[in-house]
Amino acid sequence: MKKQRGENTRKALIKSTIDCLDRLGYAETSINRVLEGVDVSRGALMHHFPSKEDLVIGTVDFLLSRILRHYQQESPSSFPFAQITQAEGGTLADALVTYWRNIIDTPEGRAFSEIIMATRTDKALSQRISPKLEDWNDQLNQFFLPPGLDKAAEEDMTLTLLIWRSFIRGMIFQQEFHSDPAYVEKIIRKFATIMEPHLKMVQSQNG
C-alpha cells in the first residue's frame, strides 16, 4: 500500500511537471509551480525528487518509456514497413500523421521538446539526459531494423529512421509559423512521400 502511494505521488508530480513545461516552458517551470498543480506536500516532492533537475530527469524517463510503449504496441511488423507494402495497413503518411497527433503534438510531446531545448544551455542537465537519449535511440533503431540487413543497409536504415524522427520532432517548432493545423499535417504528408522510396529500398533488400 505504501509503495503504491509512493508510485501514485511520483506519477502525479510528473503529470504536473508535464503540464507546467507545456504551458510555461522549461525556464518558468519550478518546484513551487509544479506543487500548485497537485495535492502533494513539498516534503513529499523532495523525498521523490530532491531538485528540479531530478524532477525533470524523472519526467524524461517517463516520456521516453511512453514513446517506446507506443511503438511496441504497434509492433515492428506494422510500422513503418506495412504502411508502404500493404494497402490495408494504411499509408506511411497516415502513420506519420497519427504519430504526430498522438505522440508529438501533445502536452507530453511538447514538454519533451522543452526539455531537449533546455539541454542546449543547461550543461548539467545535458550530461544526465544525453546517455538516456542515446540508449533510447539505440533501442528504437534495433526495434525497427528488419532482420537480415547487411552492414551498409543497416546503417542506411538507421540514418533514415533518425531523419524522420528528427523531422517530426522539429515540427513542434515549425507549427508556430502556420496558423492552420491542417497545413502542418500537409507538410508531414509531403515528407512521407520523400521518405517512402528509402523505406521501400530497404524493404526490397530484405526480401
Side-chain angles (χ1 to χ4, degrees), residues 128-146:
R128 293 186 65 181
I129 288 180
S130 291
K132 293 176 181 291
L133 295 178
E134 291 176 9
D135 180 65
W136 175 70
N137 252 334
D138 289 342
Q139 287 187 64
L140 287 183
N141 289 337
Q142 292 304 314
F143 186 72
F144 285 117
L145 284 174

Side-chain angles (χ1 to χ4, degrees), residues 3-22:
K3 183 178 180 180
Q4 185 60 49
R5 285 199 302 269
E7 184 61 27
N8 290 341
T9 297
R10 284 180 61 89
K11 288 180 179 178
L13 290 168
I14 288 172
K15 182 178 179 181
S16 184
T17 302
I18 289 170
D19 178 65
C20 286
L21 288 166
D22 182 33

Side-chain angles (χ1 to χ4, degrees), residues 161-190:
L161 292 171
L162 289 174
I163 288 168
W164 70 255
R165 288 206 297 272
S166 299
F167 170 83
I168 293 294
R169 285 196 298 267
M171 289 305 298
I172 284 288
F173 307 103
Q174 181 62 32
Q175 70 175 337
E176 298 301 322
F177 294 89
H178 308 283
S179 58
D180 183 6
Y183 192 76
V184 173
E185 293 191 4
K186 187 176 181 180
I187 295 172
I188 294 172
R189 290 183 179 279
K190 178 64 176 179

Side-chain angles (χ1 to χ4, degrees), residues 76-125:
S77 63
S78 67
F79 186 86
F81 296 105
Q83 282 76 6
I84 60 173
T85 58
Q86 303 172 14
E88 66 269 22
T91 66
L92 178 61
D94 291 336
L96 292 184
V97 167
T98 297
Y99 180 62
W100 164 253
R101 292 174 180 171
N102 295 344
I103 295 294
I104 303 299
D105 192 28
T106 63
E108 293 84 358
R110 293 187 293 269
F112 184 63
S113 294
E114 284 290 329
I115 295 170
I116 298 305
M117 284 297 295
T119 62
R120 191 180 68 82
T121 53
D122 189 330
K123 299 307 179 185
L125 183 65

